[in-house]
Amino acid sequence: AKIVDNHKDKLNTLKQVIPVILYAIPVLVLMLIQPDLGGTIVFGCIMLGMLFTAGLNIKLIRNTLIIVICALPIIYMCMAPHQKVRIEAFLHPDDLSYEGNYQVVQSMIAIGSGGINGKGMYNGTQNHSGFLPVSDSDFIFAVIGEELGMIGMSLIALLYVLFLVRMITMARQAKDFYGTLIIIGVMSMFAYQIIQNIGMTMALIPVTGVTLPLISYGASSLVSALASIGL
């Protein structure tokens, strides 16, 4: 945030943007080596949110997207084997021979069986019968859909929207631009995690190990989310 603050309204060309991004490259590389593609994307969203707020040239964003789309075959070749499997599984959702498709299919069954009102708290058969894997963290939104139905899922989504809108409002009211960037960074982090987690439970996005903020089980996830909110 401090680095981007120093380059406010000076992000019109690649020559101006690259030095700013270079500060974050070591962190991104270390995460990719793990490999943790999901976490790397989260950091990428934080960076993009801050850069966009600081006046990143729209043409640069457009051109970067075009380059990334054209480079997708090369990016795919550089992925780890388990990452390739997830992409292939996403493209063939009905093929249960792909690792990961089973849990996505069970997730959609759970959400669909919940209907409008759901089966009631702790009455989810897919969850309690052990058909839905990782139901306490990665696929907890499917449990909400099965037990609380469309009404419960809509309420959670609405609360998240209000949560993100509140942060945008705070960013506008910040005393300085540095504070605005920190809030936007935190908001971007939460926004990606929410979209990614909910999307993968409905087979709209490839599966990654990204938790649903403030709901998924896990102390480290909860503590980091609360620390970000506190910041």
Side-chain angles (χ1 to χ4, degrees), residues 104 107-108 111 139 141 153 197-205:
V104 175
S107 172
M108 290 190 292
I111 292 173
F139 285 86
F141 193 74
M153 291 192 298
N197 187 278
I198 293 177
M200 74 182 188
T201 62
M202 300 178 181
L204 300 176
I205 301 175

Side-chain angles (χ1 to χ4, degrees), residues 78-183:
C78 296
M79 284 182 170
H82 74 279
Q83 294 169 345
K84 291 181 179 179
V85 169
R86 289 184 177 181
I87 298 295
E88 293 169 5
F90 173 72
L91 296 175
H92 303 86
D94 297 326
D95 189 347
L96 295 181
S97 65
Y98 285 104
E99 183 182 355
N101 269 358
Y102 172 79
Q103 58 191 21
V104 175
V105 169
Q106 293 298 327
S107 172
M108 290 190 292
I109 290 173
I111 292 173
S113 65
I116 300 297
N117 300 318
K119 298 176 181 177
M121 287 288 286
Y122 310 115
N123 293 326
T125 52
Q126 293 297 114
N127 176 31
H128 291 288
S129 297
F131 291 107
L132 181 63
V134 208
S135 59
D136 57 346
S137 56
D138 288 6
F139 285 86
I140 198 166
F141 193 74
V143 177
I144 295 171
E146 184 179 26
E147 298 186 357
L148 302 179
M150 179 62 72
I151 294 175
M153 291 192 298
S154 298
L155 178 60
I156 294 295
L158 176 61
L159 288 172
Y160 274 134
V161 169
L162 294 175
F163 177 58
L164 296 175
V165 169
R166 176 60 180 155
M167 278 192 276
I168 292 174
T169 303
M170 291 175 65
R172 289 176 173 172
Q173 297 172 347
K175 295 180 180 180
D176 52 35
F177 192 64
Y178 173 67
T180 295
L181 290 173
I182 290 180
I183 299 171

Side-chain angles (χ1 to χ4, degrees), residues 190 193 211-227:
F190 280 122
Q193 288 181 290
T211 56
L212 190 61
L214 305 173
I215 295 181
S216 288
Y217 176 82
S220 59
S221 172
L222 180 61
V223 169
S224 60
L226 291 176

